[in-house]
Amino acid sequence: MEKLPTFADANALEKTQRAKLLQKLAKDLGEAQKSGDTTRVQAIESQIGGLANDNVVTSQALQEMLEAGGLDRKKAQALIDKYNQDRDGLVNAAEFDQLMTEAKGAKPEAPKPEAPKPPAAPASQAAPATPPAAAAASAQPSEPAAAPTVPPEKVGVVLNDHPNDLPSAAELKEFGATGARITLSAMNYNKDTQAAMKAKLAEYKAAGIEVTLQLGKEFADGCPEPEDSENKPVDTQSPAWNKKFDDWMDKSYLPRVNEAMAELGQYVDSVEAFNEPDEPNNRSKTATEDAYKPGLPAEKFGEALRKTYEAVHNHPNAQDDVKVITGGLDSGHPEYLERAAAATKDKDGNPTLYADEIGLHPYDKDANKPANDPRSLGFIVNDYAKRDWKTPTGKTPSVYITEASQPRVENAKTFNGDFARATVEMDAVTRSYFFWKKTHDEHPGLVSADGTKSDAYYELQRLMGKGTGKK
C-alpha cells in the first residue's frame, strides 16, 4: 500500500458501520437475555462497550480500506485476523498501527489488463465528452436537496418508548437529527430493559447523536402528590409534605439517578432534571384526560435540582462535559426559576441556579411574531436567556427547547418549519427537540406508529438540507 490511512481517518470513516453493528448486537443481546445465556450476555455487553469507545475501529471498515489500497480480499482478511485474534470485530490504535505497517510491505494486487478498445469513431460522429461533474449530476435526483436553512446541530427528537421501539441511529441520521431526548421511567428503564437501553444509547453515541436523559417524577416510584394543587401551580407545601418529598428524593429518585449514571453515563451528554415543575395547570384524571401533576414548589425544585446536579457531575461514570438542564419549564414565568435559584445558595451565600442549561417548553408561543411581542417565541426565549443567572461554573446557560410542539396543531408541517427557522436567529437556543412519534395527548409526530413519515418530517429534513421536502 502506497499511502497508509491514519487511525483518525479510519475512525471517522466507519461511524455508520459501527452503528449498524451496534443495532445487530442489541438484537443479539435481547435474544441472549431471553434464552438466559449469561455468558453470551456478558460477551455481547463487552462488545457494545467496546464499540462506544472512539479508540477502536471495526474490522469491516479495515477490510474495505485495505482492499481500496490494493490488497486482495484474502491478504486483507489474513492481516485483520492476525491482529484481531480475539475475533471481537474491533481493532485498537496499537493493533491498527502494526497492521498498517505490515500492510505497507504487502504487494498490491496486480491491475487487470484492460480489454481492447474499439476503434474511435470519426470526429464528425463522436459524441461530445461528458464532463465528470455533469455525469455525476445526471445520476442525481432531478430535484436535489437545497442548502440547509436550519443547521442540523439545532434539531433533535423527543423519544419516550421502550428501548426496543426506539428508532435506530441510522433512521435519526437519515432524518438529520443530531440529538435525542429520551424520557426514562419505571416502565421503560428497569432491570429487564437496562441492557437494551444501554445498547441503544451506545448505538447513538457511536453515530455522533447527542443523548439527553429526561428524568421526571415518573423515573422513581412514590413521589408524593402535591397538596391543594388542582387546576393551578403548586405553591408552598406543608412540613409533612416537604418531609415526604425529601425522603423520596434521597431514598428513591437520587438512587435511580446514580443507577442510570452507573450504567449509561458514558453515553449521556446531558440530563434534564424533572419535567415542567412550574406547570400552571396541575390536574387530576377525568373521563377524557389523564392526570397530569408534574408541579413542584419553586423552592423544592431548586433543592432537587441542586441534588441532581451534584449527583450527575460527581458521578465517576459521567462524561467530563456532561450538562444538567432544568426540567422543561412551561409556565412562561422566569420568576419561578429565580425563586428556585434563591432557595439554593453557594458557599458564599449567593443564590445559585444549579444547572448548566435552561430547558423550555414554549407552548402557545408564535414563532412568526416579533421578539418584542409577549406572545412570541423570541420573547419567551429572551426573557429566560437574558436574566442574570449565577451558575456553579460561572457560565451563562443557553436554552434547550426540549419539547418543540403544539398539541393538536392543524398544520404540523408549517408549525415545525416556522419554529425551526425562528430558532436559527436565536443565539441563545442551542437545540430544539421535535416529537418523533405522535403522543397520546395529540402532539404531532414526525413519523406515525407504523413508521410512516409525515409531511412535517420531510419539511424539517428539507430545511436541514437533507431532502427535497417531498415523499
Side-chain angles (χ1 to χ4, degrees):
M1 295 180 68
E2 293 299 321
K3 183 180 179 183
L4 296 179
T6 66
F7 184 76
D9 293 336
N11 203 267
L13 287 170
E14 54 84 63
K15 290 285 188 185
T16 302
Q17 293 164 337
R18 195 187 301 197
K20 288 179 179 178
L21 184 52
L22 275 166
Q23 282 182 259
K24 180 181 182 300
L25 286 172
K27 182 179 179 181
D28 292 346
L29 181 61
E31 293 173 355
Q33 289 172 324
K34 287 180 182 178
S35 68
D37 188 343
T38 56
T39 301
R40 187 163 175 248
V41 166
Q42 290 175 353
I44 294 172
E45 286 183 340
S46 176
Q47 280 187 271
I48 288 170
L51 279 169
N53 180 358
D54 284 338
N55 293 319
V56 293
V57 172
T58 59
S59 53
Q60 182 183 351
L62 275 176
Q63 179 85 29
E64 293 180 8
M65 290 178 195
L66 292 170
E67 289 182 36
L71 293 187
D72 64 35
R73 182 174 295 272
K74 288 184 179 179
K75 288 179 180 177
Q77 187 60 59
L79 275 174
I80 292 170
D81 289 345
K82 178 177 178 180
Y83 289 99
N84 183 223
Q85 295 178 4
D86 55 4
R87 302 294 190 273
D88 63 353
L90 305 171
V91 174
N92 62 33
E95 293 170 334
F96 179 91
D97 290 341
Q98 294 170 356
L99 186 154
M100 285 298 170
T101 299
E102 187 167 337
K104 187 173 183 180
K107 291 183 179 180
E109 186 176 14
K112 296 178 180 178
E114 294 185 9
K117 294 182 180 179
S124 59
Q125 299 176 21
T130 304
S138 67
Q140 299 300 315
S142 56
E143 191 176 352
T149 303
V150 176
E153 294 75 23
K154 285 226 172 192
V155 176
V157 294
V158 176
L159 305 173
N160 300 315
D161 284 335
H162 183 285
N164 292 342
D165 297 323
L166 294 175
S168 68
E171 289 177 285
L172 297 185
K173 296 293 281 187
E174 178 188 10
F175 166 61
T178 56
R181 181 236 198 194
I182 305 169
T183 297
L184 295 191
S185 67
M187 296 294 291
N188 73 348
Y189 187 68
N190 50 58
K191 62 182 179 61
D192 295 325
T193 65
Q194 197 173 67
M197 186 65 79
K198 185 175 183 178
K200 181 58 68 174
L201 266 58
E203 179 190 336
Y204 289 169
K205 175 75 172 176
I209 296 168
E210 291 188 12
V211 171
T212 296
L213 296 185
Q214 193 277 309
L215 309 181
K217 284 183 178 181
E218 68 276 10
F219 182 51
D221 292 330
C223 184
E225 185 173 304
E227 305 162 338
D228 187 28
S229 59
E230 195 66 27
N231 303 121
K232 61 182 181 180
V234 175
D235 207 340
T236 304
Q237 300 288 290
S238 69
W241 185 91
N242 288 337
K243 174 69 165 57
K244 289 180 182 178
F245 181 80
D246 290 342
D247 286 347
W248 173 79
M249 273 295 299
D250 296 338
K251 297 176 183 178
S252 296
Y253 184 83
L254 291 174
R256 283 276 282 167
V257 172
N258 284 320
E259 176 189 348
M261 291 303 295
E263 286 296 318
L264 311 174
Q266 67 268 41
Y267 314 121
V268 175
D269 297 282
S270 54
V271 170
E272 186 179 5
F274 293 87
N275 184 59
E276 300 184 352
D278 61 337
E279 167 61 40
N281 184 29
N282 295 272
R283 50 207 181 270
S284 300
K285 182 178 175 62
T286 66
T288 58
E289 193 174 12
D290 290 336
Y292 189 63
K293 293 190 174 184
L296 289 172
E299 294 75 16
K300 278 297 169 190
F301 174 62
E303 294 173 12
L305 185 61
R306 176 184 59 79
K307 290 179 178 181
T308 307
Y309 181 95
E310 291 173 347
V312 171
H313 277 283
N314 294 334
H315 199 283
N317 202 33
Q319 296 190 60
D320 291 340
D321 57 351
V322 67
K323 296 179 175 65
V324 171
I325 305 172
T326 67
L329 304 166
D330 70 336
S331 69
H333 299 299
E335 294 77 17
Y336 174 90
L337 199 57
E338 289 181 327
R339 286 165 53 204
T344 51
K345 297 177 172 57
D346 64 13
K347 58 182 174 52
D348 297 321
N350 300 309
T352 301
L353 178 65
Y354 278 83
D356 302 293
E357 316 291 358
I358 295 172
L360 289 186
H361 296 173
Y363 291 117
D364 299 319
K365 301 305 177 185
D366 194 328
N368 293 313
K369 291 187 182 299
N372 61 356
D373 188 325
R375 297 167 296 175
S376 73
L377 175 63
F379 184 92
I380 197 68
V381 167
N382 288 336
D383 204 11
Y384 281 88
K386 293 186 177 180
R387 300 208 175 201
D388 186 20
W389 303 110
K390 177 177 173 53
T391 64
T393 63
K395 295 180 180 178
T396 301
S398 68
V399 170
Y400 280 67
I401 299 177
T402 53
E403 289 183 12
S405 182
Q406 185 64 41
R408 295 171 291 279
V409 65
E410 291 184 8
N411 191 329
K413 173 182 176 180
T414 300
F415 174 88
N416 285 358
D418 290 347
F419 197 106
R421 275 191 295 265
T423 61
V424 173
E425 302 301 323
M426 299 178 191
D427 292 336
V429 176
T430 297
R431 183 179 285 123
S432 299
Y433 294 79
F434 298 84
F435 281 86
W436 182 252
K437 285 186 179 178
K438 183 177 180 179
T439 65
H440 67 283
D441 52 355
E442 302 302 313
H443 287 284
L446 298 169
V447 301
S448 62
D450 65 3
T452 303
K453 297 166 184 173
S454 69
D455 288 342
Y457 173 102
Y458 288 106
E459 175 64 5
L460 266 180
Q461 189 185 52
R462 180 188 70 80
L463 290 173
M464 289 187 284
K466 301 281 287 185
T468 64
K470 297 180 180 180
K471 297 181 181 180

